[in-house]
Amino acid sequence: MLKPLITLGLVLTFGTLTFAQKKEIEKNFKPKEAIGHFTYLASNELMGRDPGRPEMALAYTYIAEQLESYKAMPLPGADGYYQNIPFRMSSPPKSGSIQIGDKTFTQGQNMLVLDGKSFSGSYELVDVGFGLEEDFQGKDLNGKIAIANVGAPNRMAPADLFALGGEKTKRAQEAGAIALIERFNIPSIPWQLLSNFLNRTQMTLDQGAASDLPYVWVEDSKNTLTGDALQTTTAQVEGKVNKSVEGKNVLAWIEGTDPVLKNEYVLLSAHYDHVGVGTPDAEGDSIYNGARDNAVGTVAVMNAAKYFAKNPPKRSLIIALWTAEEKGLLGSAYFANNPLIPLNQIVYNLNIDNGGYNDTSVITVIGLGRTTADFLIEEAVAEFGVKAIADAAPEQGLYDRSDNVNFARKGIPAPTFSLGFTAFDDQINKYYHKPGDQVDNFDLDYAQTYWKSYILAAQKIANWDQQPQWKEGDKYEEAGKQLYGK
């Protein structure tokens, strides 16, 4: 009888602790204040929180001021509560054409100049495969144009294409190339959809001289640009305009209470940007307010910062509000590649991103079941009367489309805590990246459940006596072993 009694005692003890934690969260939660944050961040005044617009300063200043008022501390190495990021706005050329073999590519039709300066002339082409580091080895690229495939084996998500493109242009520039052309040959992604989206001003990370290298996509859906077709090319690209823009991640930290575990960090994150101003809807509204995507997530992390500044857990916390997620996960990528805390001290990332919700009885956790700590999320949300479910729309590739993936690739266990959806259906698409995504049509009772559940989930993970791990067989398990030396 002794063992069952001990087990029952532990269950009762943990149940009592969880109830006390929930009660403390509810006691400290201020609904009017949280809804006020939500309303402001999704207001017309912020013009859709586009990182390229001046109103973005209103958003990051507001968030930073709240973190400071909560007594969350600036991260060492940051500029106060900011990590400054050198962005670059690159506009399409006034005209552009490239001749490769017997094919002519024209800007906006079957060709897109994504970055770099204007250029013209005839050049030798050098095929560099996928443009990976090993693909450049032994190749003479001085004064020539490198041509590669987009993406990389097993990395074909849209965010991967842009992230890898930046790496490839840097390699090409360092190798002395004149330009980098990528063959777009992914049949699952329609070229016309890309052309409509990308044939406009794009935001990228400024890589100095590498960003001046012309970076071009050409449509090659039938994989014809190979062999003898790749001898020389004639290019004429005119009227490129590029300008620098400074972006800001908003960061803070809260020191843990345990003398040992406080050297480990749980990263609580959400992106605070949205898509700005766009095509008007039927009512003439052109401001894409982004209440669901992702003001609600921004407020969740702000609420967590306020709570934990007064009630710190055993592990330390990093509070991170990312910029430019909608531009290709740029803010989180910058932090992941320029961390202010060593990545091997960050043991978990509880990220937030959202498209919307269609079921207020659940919280959808993108990546649920992939880490050893996920049961703690299930327990936490259950305390607030909702159920945690796994990704209900795996065909959307959501795990690899949000900021969490930049940390997962480094080896950090990183699910995304999303509003409840059981399918990526018409109810989601009604508001996703639409002007109608506003606070006045949001279920505010559900928002409060969501915010409080997030705090309890973060608290459980930050207090857990075990370090979270990827589950055996996960595609990021090996990266985790390398990062943490386990």
Side-chain angles (χ1 to χ4, degrees):
M1 285 294 292
L2 183 59
K3 186 174 181 181
L5 287 173
I6 292 173
T7 301
L8 178 61
L10 288 171
V11 169
L12 291 173
T13 298
F14 286 123
T16 302
L17 176 61
T18 297
F19 177 76
Q21 290 171 333
K22 177 194 174 189
K23 191 174 180 180
E24 189 69 18
I25 290 168
E26 289 184 320
K27 185 179 80 172
N28 284 272
F29 188 81
K30 306 296 182 188
K32 187 174 180 180
E33 178 184 312
I35 292 169
H37 295 325
F38 191 24
T39 302
Y40 178 70
L41 289 172
S43 68
N44 284 350
E45 183 180 350
L46 271 61
M47 299 297 286
R49 305 188 307 280
D50 183 337
R53 292 185 63 98
E55 294 85 4
M56 193 62 163
L58 298 175
Y60 62 65
T61 301
Y62 182 83
I63 297 166
E65 287 175 347
Q66 300 309 312
L67 297 182
E68 184 176 19
S69 73
Y70 303 152
K71 308 301 182 186
M73 298 177 288
L75 266 177
D79 178 13
Y81 287 90
Y82 303 122
Q83 182 182 37
N84 300 321
I85 306 174
F87 285 137
R88 175 185 175 94
M89 302 295 289
S90 183
S91 300
K94 291 183 179 179
S95 64
S97 66
I98 289 178
Q99 181 82 26
I100 302 176
D102 60 357
K103 291 184 176 294
T104 299
F105 299 91
T106 304
Q107 173 67 25
Q109 297 178 20
N110 54 359
M111 163 184 156
L112 294 165
V113 180
L114 300 177
D115 205 352
K117 294 182 175 180
S118 301
F119 73 114
S120 61
S122 295
Y123 304 94
E124 185 179 338
L125 286 169
V126 178
D127 194 336
V128 291
F130 275 102
L132 305 178
E133 191 170 352
E134 58 267 27
D135 294 327
F136 277 87
Q137 292 177 359
K139 302 278 175 62
D140 176 15
L141 284 159
N142 195 40
K144 303 172 186 178
I145 290 180
I147 186 165
N149 296 315
V150 293
N154 302 317
R155 288 190 65 183
M156 291 294 181
D160 288 326
L161 306 186
F162 297 118
L164 290 166
E167 295 173 15
K168 295 175 192 181
T169 54
K170 193 170 185 179
R171 293 186 192 114
Q173 185 268 332
E174 289 172 349
I178 294 295
L180 171 67
I181 297 173
E182 286 195 303
R183 297 166 289 216
F184 191 90
N185 48 14
I186 304 176
S188 61
I189 305 177
W191 172 265
Q192 192 56 50
L193 179 69
L194 280 172
S195 183
N196 291 341
F197 180 72
L198 295 175
N199 192 27
R200 54 187 176 182
T201 300
Q202 298 297 318
M203 177 176 278
T204 61
L205 288 174
D206 194 327
Q207 300 188 102
S211 288
D212 287 335
L213 189 85
Y215 174 41
V216 182
W217 280 4
V218 294
E219 183 185 11
D220 187 30
S221 57
K222 296 182 179 179
N223 294 298
T224 59
L225 297 180
T226 60
D228 292 341
L230 302 181
Q231 300 294 322
T232 61
T233 182
T234 300
Q236 188 74 32
V237 174
E238 299 178 341
K240 280 288 284 113
V241 176
N242 306 297
K243 68 174 184 177
S244 297
V245 174
E246 186 175 71
K248 294 181 186 292
N249 288 330
V250 188
L251 303 171
W253 77 290
I254 296 162
E255 187 174 20
T257 59
D258 186 275
V260 176
L261 290 179
K262 72 177 183 179
N263 296 311
E264 297 178 356
Y265 293 78
V266 174
L267 172 61
L268 305 182
S269 65
H271 75 89
Y272 71 96
D273 66 299
H274 193 52
V275 298
V277 178
T279 304
D281 62 12
E283 288 73 42
D285 186 0
S286 62
I287 299 174
Y288 291 57
N289 301 89
R292 292 157 178 80
D293 183 15
N294 188 30
V296 69
T298 302
V299 174
V301 175
M302 291 168 63
N303 288 336
K306 180 182 180 182
Y307 178 80
F308 289 123
K310 293 181 179 178
N311 304 275
K314 293 179 180 179
R315 287 186 174 88
S316 297
L317 300 174
I318 299 172
I319 306 299
L321 289 313
W322 310 124
T323 189
E325 187 270 353
E326 301 288 1
K327 304 296 186 183
L329 318 182
L330 298 182
S332 59
Y334 189 82
F335 183 92
N337 292 320
N338 303 274
L340 301 181
I341 296 292
L343 292 181
N344 62 3
Q345 290 182 249
I346 302 174
V347 298
Y348 203 80
N349 173 210
L350 190 58
N351 183 56
I352 293 183
D353 195 8
N354 286 293
Y357 62 91
N358 55 25
D359 189 339
T360 58
S361 72
V362 301
I363 285 172
T364 302
V365 181
I366 310 301
L368 188 70
R370 296 178 64 173
T371 84
T372 57
D374 293 345
F375 77 97
L376 296 170
I377 300 175
E378 294 174 318
E379 290 179 0
V381 305
E383 284 296 314
F384 288 96
V386 290
K387 180 181 179 182
I389 64 171
D391 186 357
E395 75 283 355
Q396 294 288 328
L398 297 174
Y399 193 92
D400 293 328
R401 286 171 52 185
S402 189
D403 294 303
N404 59 294
V405 75
N406 285 323
F407 299 96
R409 289 194 192 112
K410 301 289 189 181
I412 299 169
T416 290
F417 191 94
S418 295
L419 297 167
F421 68 92
T422 53
F424 216 84
D425 59 9
D426 290 344
Q427 183 64 20
I428 300 296
N429 286 314
K430 179 180 179 181
Y431 298 110
Y432 180 60
H433 287 189
K434 301 285 198 314
D437 183 9
Q438 300 173 1
V439 172
D440 61 9
N441 52 39
F442 202 105
D443 183 332
L444 294 177
D445 289 334
Y446 179 57
Q448 293 174 61
T449 298
Y450 178 75
W451 291 330
K452 289 183 282 190
S453 297
Y454 180 77
I455 294 171
L456 184 54
Q459 186 172 43
K460 282 177 168 287
I461 293 164
N463 282 333
W464 196 28
D465 62 0
Q466 299 178 43
Q467 181 176 330
Q469 304 286 335
W470 293 103
K471 286 192 175 176
E472 186 176 354
D474 193 274
K475 73 175 184 177
Y476 296 116
E477 180 189 17
E478 185 57 36
K481 289 179 178 178
Q482 292 179 17
L483 179 65
Y484 302 117
K486 296 182 179 180

